[in-house]
């Protein structure tokens, strides 16, 4: 039996406002306090950069941690619009999502850049949540496992020391924001593949989250699978009761 602690991370994406965040986070803290006794899952939220101070202030005495949705591979300098690991660390961030499919698709991030971002995060004491996932066309072409392997290759090549400081997330692109969740069996097939790559990388106990239309109603059946260690949640993380419902699952 694995000892991996369940982890549920909310990825707010480009959503929220000061007023909405205040409401969502204070509701979450209340629900979390009420649930604390019987809930073993670790909870985190990844907010847009301008709100990190607000998130840090509201969550500072809670068991919920926070992170950014991306981070630069560079330490400082002429990189307009980017945010460094040291900057995130100043806000008390525990996490940085790297390689989300929306960054890969809209910002041209390849797996080598993703690996360098993960390495930078680790060097600065922040845990990268490294996302991988195939498109619908890749799945239909029978290339899912091949795509996952190639996306993970430069990341796992960072070596066991680095990989044991990461969380991985499998997010099939066709399941993100579409209401189409991978079935627990489809997800487990890919998670088992990722687990085998982690075993080869000498980091067998790293947590692998599933993401893509996770809701309170489907979370339990996903979490029942051996290699699914939690969830990376988009839409449902914006509603406190939905997000807490996933954590309770
Ligand atoms: P949804 O939960 O909205 O499908 O988003 C998943 C995701 O991309 C989390 O990073």
């Amino acid at each position: 039996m694995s000892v991996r602690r369940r982890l549920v991370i909310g990825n707010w994406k480009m959503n929220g406002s000061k007023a909405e965040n205040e409401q969502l986070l204070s509701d979450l803290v209340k629900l979390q306090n009420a649930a604390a006794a019987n809930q073993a899952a670790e909870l985190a939220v990844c907010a847009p950069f301008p709100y990190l101070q607000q998130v840090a202030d509201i969550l500072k005495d809670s068991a919920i941690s926070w992170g950014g949705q991306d981070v630069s591979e560079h330490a400082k300098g002429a990189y307009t619009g980017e945010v460094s690991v040291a900057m995130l660390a100043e806000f008390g961030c525990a996490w940085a999502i790297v390689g989300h499919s929306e960054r890969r698709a809209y910002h041209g991030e390849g797996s080598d850049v993703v690996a360098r971002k993960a390495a930078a995060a680790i060097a600065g004491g922040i845990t990268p949540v490294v996302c991988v996932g195939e498109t619908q066309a890749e799945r239909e072409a029978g290339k899912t496992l091949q795509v996952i392997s190639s996306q993970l290759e430069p990341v796992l090549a960072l070596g066991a020391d680095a990989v044991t400081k990461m969380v991985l997330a499998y997010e099939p692109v066709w399941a993100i924001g579409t209401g189409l969740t991978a079935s627990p069996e489809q997800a487990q097939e890919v998670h088992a593949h990722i687990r085998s790559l982690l075993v080869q990388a000498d980091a067998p106990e790293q947590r692998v989250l599933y993401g893509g239309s996770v809701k309170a109603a489907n979370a339990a059946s996903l979490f029942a699978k051996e290699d699914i260690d939690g969830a990376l949640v988009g839409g449902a993380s914006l509603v406190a009761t939905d997000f807490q419902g996933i954590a309770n699952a």
Side-chain angles (χ1 to χ4, degrees), residues 9-13 97 100-102 131 169 171-172 175-180 210-215 231-237 246:
I9 302 180
N11 173 11
W12 291 359
K13 308 192 180 183
I97 297 172
H100 191 280
S101 66
E102 287 148 20
C131 303
E171 297 206 306
I176 294 176
T178 58
L180 291 173
Y210 169 79
S213 300
V214 177
K215 311 270 179 261
L232 185 55
V233 184
S237 74
I246 294 168

Coordinates of all heavy atoms in Angstrom, one line a residue, residues 9-13 97 100-102 131 169 171-172 175-180 210-215 231-237 246, ligand 1:
I9 N -4.9 20.3 -6.1 CA -4.4 21.6 -6.3 C -5.4 22.3 -7.3 O -5.8 21.7 -8.3 CB -3.0 21.6 -7.0 CG1 -2.0 20.9 -6.1 CG2 -2.6 23.1 -7.3 CD1 -0.6 20.9 -6.8
G10 N -5.9 23.5 -6.9 CA -6.7 24.3 -7.7 C -5.9 25.2 -8.6 O -5.0 25.9 -8.2
N11 N -6.2 25.1 -9.9 CA -5.5 26.0 -10.9 C -6.6 27.0 -11.3 O -7.5 26.7 -12.1 CB -5.0 25.2 -12.1 CG -4.5 26.1 -13.2 OD1 -4.3 27.3 -13.0 ND2 -4.2 25.5 -14.3
W12 N -6.5 28.2 -10.8 CA -7.6 29.2 -11.1 C -7.5 29.7 -12.5 O -8.4 30.3 -13.0 CB -7.4 30.4 -10.1 CG -7.8 30.1 -8.7 CD1 -8.2 29.0 -8.1 CD2 -7.7 31.1 -7.6 NE1 -8.4 29.1 -6.8 CE2 -8.1 30.4 -6.4 CE3 -7.4 32.5 -7.5 CZ2 -8.2 31.1 -5.2 CZ3 -7.5 33.1 -6.3 CH2 -7.9 32.4 -5.2
K13 N -6.4 29.5 -13.2 CA -6.2 30.0 -14.5 C -6.4 31.6 -14.4 O -6.1 32.2 -13.4 CB -7.0 29.4 -15.6 CG -6.9 27.8 -15.5 CD -7.5 27.1 -16.6 CE -7.3 25.6 -16.4 NZ -7.7 24.8 -17.5
I97 N 3.1 25.7 -11.1 CA 2.7 24.8 -12.3 C 3.7 25.1 -13.4 O 4.0 26.3 -13.7 CB 1.3 25.1 -12.7 CG1 0.3 24.8 -11.5 CG2 0.9 24.3 -13.9 CD1 -1.1 25.2 -11.8
H100 N 1.9 23.6 -18.3 CA 0.5 23.4 -18.5 C 0.2 23.4 -20.0 O 0.8 24.2 -20.8 CB -0.3 24.5 -17.8 CG -1.8 24.2 -17.8 ND1 -2.6 24.4 -18.8 CD2 -2.6 23.6 -16.8 CE1 -3.9 24.0 -18.5 NE2 -3.9 23.5 -17.3
S101 N -0.8 22.6 -20.5 CA -1.0 22.5 -21.9 C -1.4 23.9 -22.5 O -1.2 24.1 -23.7 CB -2.1 21.5 -22.2 OG -3.4 21.9 -21.7
E102 N -2.0 24.8 -21.7 CA -2.4 26.1 -22.2 C -1.1 26.9 -22.5 O -1.0 27.7 -23.4 CB -3.3 26.8 -21.3 CG -4.7 26.2 -21.4 CD -5.5 26.2 -20.1 OE1 -5.2 27.0 -19.2 OE2 -6.5 25.4 -20.0
C131 N 3.2 19.4 -15.9 CA 2.0 18.9 -16.6 C 2.4 18.3 -17.9 O 3.2 18.8 -18.7 CB 1.0 20.0 -16.8 SG 0.5 20.9 -15.4
A169 N 1.7 15.9 -13.2 CA 0.2 15.9 -13.5 C 0.0 15.5 -14.9 O 0.5 16.0 -15.8 CB -0.3 17.3 -13.2
E171 N -2.7 15.6 -17.6 CA -3.8 16.3 -18.1 C -4.1 16.1 -19.5 O -3.5 16.9 -20.4 CB -3.7 17.8 -17.8 CG -3.5 18.2 -16.3 CD -4.0 19.6 -16.0 OE1 -3.5 20.5 -16.7 OE2 -4.8 19.7 -15.1
P172 N -4.9 15.2 -19.9 CA -5.2 15.0 -21.3 C -5.9 16.3 -21.9 O -6.8 16.8 -21.3 CB -6.2 13.8 -21.4 CG -6.7 13.6 -20.0 CD -5.7 14.3 -19.0
A175 N -9.6 16.7 -22.3 CA -10.4 16.6 -21.1 C -10.4 17.9 -20.4 O -11.2 18.1 -19.4 CB -10.0 15.5 -20.2
I176 N -9.6 18.9 -20.8 CA -9.5 20.2 -20.0 C -10.6 21.1 -20.4 O -10.7 21.5 -21.6 CB -8.1 20.8 -20.3 CG1 -7.0 19.9 -19.7 CG2 -8.0 22.2 -19.7 CD1 -5.6 20.4 -19.9
G177 N -11.4 21.5 -19.4 CA -12.4 22.5 -19.6 C -13.5 22.0 -20.6 O -14.3 22.9 -21.0
T178 N -13.6 20.7 -20.9 CA -14.6 20.3 -21.9 C -15.7 19.5 -21.3 O -16.7 19.2 -22.0 CB -13.9 19.3 -22.9 OG1 -13.3 18.2 -22.1 CG2 -12.8 20.0 -23.7
G179 N -15.6 19.2 -20.0 CA -16.6 18.3 -19.4 C -16.3 16.8 -19.7 O -17.0 16.0 -19.1
L180 N -15.4 16.6 -20.6 CA -15.1 15.2 -20.9 C -13.9 14.7 -20.0 O -12.8 15.1 -20.2 CB -14.5 15.1 -22.3 CG -15.5 15.3 -23.5 CD1 -14.7 15.3 -24.8 CD2 -16.5 14.2 -23.5
Y210 N -4.1 13.7 -11.5 CA -4.9 13.8 -12.8 C -5.6 15.1 -12.9 O -6.1 15.6 -11.9 CB -6.0 12.6 -12.8 CG -6.9 12.8 -13.9 CD1 -6.6 12.5 -15.2 CD2 -8.1 13.5 -13.7 CE1 -7.4 12.7 -16.3 CE2 -9.0 13.8 -14.8 CZ -8.6 13.4 -16.1 OH -9.4 13.7 -17.2
G211 N -5.7 15.7 -14.1 CA -6.4 16.9 -14.3 C -7.2 16.8 -15.6 O -6.8 16.2 -16.6
G212 N -8.4 17.5 -15.6 CA -9.2 17.5 -16.8 C -10.6 17.2 -16.4 O -11.0 16.0 -16.2
S213 N -11.4 18.3 -16.2 CA -12.8 18.2 -15.8 C -13.1 17.3 -14.6 O -14.0 16.6 -14.5 CB -13.6 17.6 -17.0 OG -13.5 18.5 -18.1
V214 N -12.2 17.5 -13.6 CA -12.4 16.8 -12.3 C -13.5 17.5 -11.6 O -13.5 18.8 -11.5 CB -11.1 16.7 -11.5 CG1 -11.4 16.0 -10.1 CG2 -10.1 15.9 -12.2
K215 N -14.5 16.8 -11.1 CA -15.6 17.4 -10.3 C -15.7 16.5 -9.0 O -15.2 15.4 -8.9 CB -16.9 17.3 -11.1 CG -16.8 17.8 -12.5 CD -17.2 19.3 -12.6 CE -17.1 19.8 -14.0 NZ -15.8 20.5 -14.3
A231 N -5.5 15.5 -7.7 CA -6.1 16.1 -8.9 C -5.5 17.5 -9.0 O -5.2 18.2 -8.0 CB -7.6 16.2 -8.8
L232 N -5.5 18.0 -10.3 CA -5.2 19.4 -10.6 C -6.5 19.9 -11.2 O -6.9 19.3 -12.3 CB -4.0 19.5 -11.6 CG -3.5 20.8 -12.0 CD1 -3.2 21.7 -10.8 CD2 -2.3 20.7 -12.9
V233 N -7.1 20.8 -10.6 CA -8.5 21.1 -10.8 C -8.6 22.6 -11.4 O -8.2 23.5 -10.7 CB -9.4 21.0 -9.5 CG1 -10.8 21.3 -9.8 CG2 -9.1 19.7 -8.9
G234 N -9.3 22.7 -12.5 CA -9.5 24.1 -13.1 C -10.9 24.6 -12.6 O -11.0 25.1 -11.5
G235 N -11.9 24.5 -13.5 CA -13.2 25.1 -13.2 C -13.7 24.9 -11.8 O -14.2 25.8 -11.2
A236 N -13.7 23.6 -11.4 CA -14.3 23.3 -10.1 C -13.5 23.9 -8.9 O -14.1 23.9 -7.8 CB -14.5 21.8 -9.9
S237 N -12.3 24.4 -9.1 CA -11.6 25.0 -8.0 C -12.1 26.4 -7.7 O -11.6 27.1 -6.8 CB -10.1 25.0 -8.3 OG -9.7 26.0 -9.3
I246 N -14.1 17.8 -3.8 CA -13.1 16.9 -4.5 C -12.1 16.5 -3.4 O -11.7 15.3 -3.3 CB -12.4 17.7 -5.6 CG1 -13.4 17.9 -6.7 CG2 -11.1 17.0 -6.1 CD1 -12.9 18.9 -7.8
Ligands
LIG1 P1 -10.7 21.8 -15.8 O1 -10.8 21.2 -14.5 O2 -11.4 23.1 -15.9 O3 -11.0 20.9 -16.9 O4 -9.1 22.3 -16.0 C1 -8.2 21.3 -15.8 C2 -6.8 22.0 -15.8 O5 -6.4 22.4 -16.8 C3 -6.1 22.2 -14.5 O6 -4.8 22.6 -14.7

